[in-house]
Amino acid sequence: MLLKIVICVLVGYLCGNISNGYLVGKLHHIDIRDYGSGNAGATNALRALGKKAGLLVFLGDFLKVYIPAILVHYVLFAGEDYASLLCEITGFAGVLGHNYPFWLHFKGGKGISSTGGAMIATDWHLALFIPVFVAIVAITKYVSVGSMFVVVLYPVFIALTKKGCAYYVPMVIIAALFTVSGVFTHRANIKRLLNGTERKIYQKIEIPTNTQEVKENEPCEEK
């Protein structure tokens, strides 16, 4: 079991290292981490490069965690009582890979799109969190609020729905780690929300036409 966990952690982390925000930024001849919040995530790509880039980064960040986690859950260990646990471990390692990619000096995104992939791979019912997230963002205009709300709900969902699982306690603990990670990466957003300076979703980042100009580095929330 320990060897399986180690393999899942390594695979999840390496897949999470695929930094779609950074790669899409490079296609536009910029390092996305030099603009806005400084994170290589979907919201920063949306603000700096537009809707198509934001959607592309979101899908990439979601799938790079969802695919390995779903393979662990329903292919490699299908039918095993620990399949859900290994899926969750793979997903969490993927989020860490996204947030702290070794090849980018551990400077990545905030892991919310990747967390969504991990959650839905663990239990498809968690796809219901998507409209919840969308509704909260639509009402508040803050991506960070919707993001933190969802990660806080995740361990509650696991605690209420997985009571019969053989590895119930470890699953709740790992779900709680998703919450800790999500809130931690949004700590600057929390301060700005309290100060009333958090950027709303429709506020864009201006990219200088001459990339040699001084680059903006204004704070904003990041998925």
Side-chain angles (χ1 to χ4, degrees):
M1 182 66 168
L2 179 59
L3 179 59
K4 293 174 182 177
I5 291 175
V6 171
I7 292 173
C8 286
V9 168
L10 289 175
V11 171
Y13 178 77
L14 291 175
C15 289
N17 264 253
I18 303 171
S19 184
N20 296 286
Y22 178 82
L23 295 174
V24 170
K26 283 300 181 181
L27 290 176
H28 290 79
H29 311 293
I30 67 167
D31 184 339
I32 193 69
R33 299 171 303 162
D34 290 333
Y35 299 89
S37 65
N39 290 290
T43 301
N44 211 30
L46 169 67
R47 292 179 181 282
L49 301 172
K51 294 179 181 178
K52 290 183 179 179
L55 179 60
L56 182 60
V57 174
F58 165 75
L59 289 175
D61 289 347
F62 177 92
L63 291 174
K64 72 182 181 183
V65 173
Y66 176 80
I67 291 174
I70 206 77
L71 289 175
V72 164
H73 199 172
Y74 295 107
V75 178
L76 298 179
F77 304 109
E80 300 290 349
D81 59 358
Y82 50 76
S84 293
L85 175 63
L86 291 182
C87 171
E88 200 177 27
I89 290 172
T90 304
F92 184 66
V95 172
L96 292 180
H98 172 81
N99 294 350
Y100 312 105
F102 70 89
W103 68 287
L104 292 177
H105 306 291
F106 305 99
K107 185 180 179 183
K110 294 189 176 181
I112 299 303
S113 301
S114 297
T115 294
M119 289 165 53
I120 295 173
T122 301
D123 190 323
W124 67 268
H125 293 94
L126 286 162
L128 295 173
F129 280 19
I130 296 175
V132 173
F133 169 81
V134 171
I136 292 174
V137 174
I139 293 169
T140 66
K141 309 302 181 186
Y142 295 121
V143 175
S144 55
V145 173
S147 299
M148 288 186 286
F149 187 83
V150 168
V151 296
V152 168
L153 279 183
Y154 180 45
V156 176
F157 176 90
I158 294 296
L160 293 176
T161 62
K162 304 297 181 182
K163 289 183 179 180
C165 292
Y167 294 88
Y168 172 73
V169 173
M171 287 193 70
V172 172
I173 291 173
I174 295 171
L177 291 178
F178 276 96
T179 302
V180 172
S181 174
V183 173
F184 178 76
T185 57
H186 282 81
R187 61 194 183 282
N189 301 82
I190 294 172
K191 291 180 181 178
R192 291 194 295 271
L193 285 166
L194 294 175
N195 293 333
T197 57
E198 179 75 320
R199 283 194 172 200
K200 296 187 177 181
I201 188 171
Y202 52 78
Q203 292 177 286
K204 297 186 179 297
I205 300 167
E206 293 299 326
I207 303 294
T209 53
N210 182 352
T211 56
Q212 298 303 314
E213 294 177 24
V214 177
K215 297 175 181 179
E216 290 186 0
N217 193 26
E218 297 177 273
C220 69
E221 68 267 23
E222 175 67 38
K223 276 181 72 177

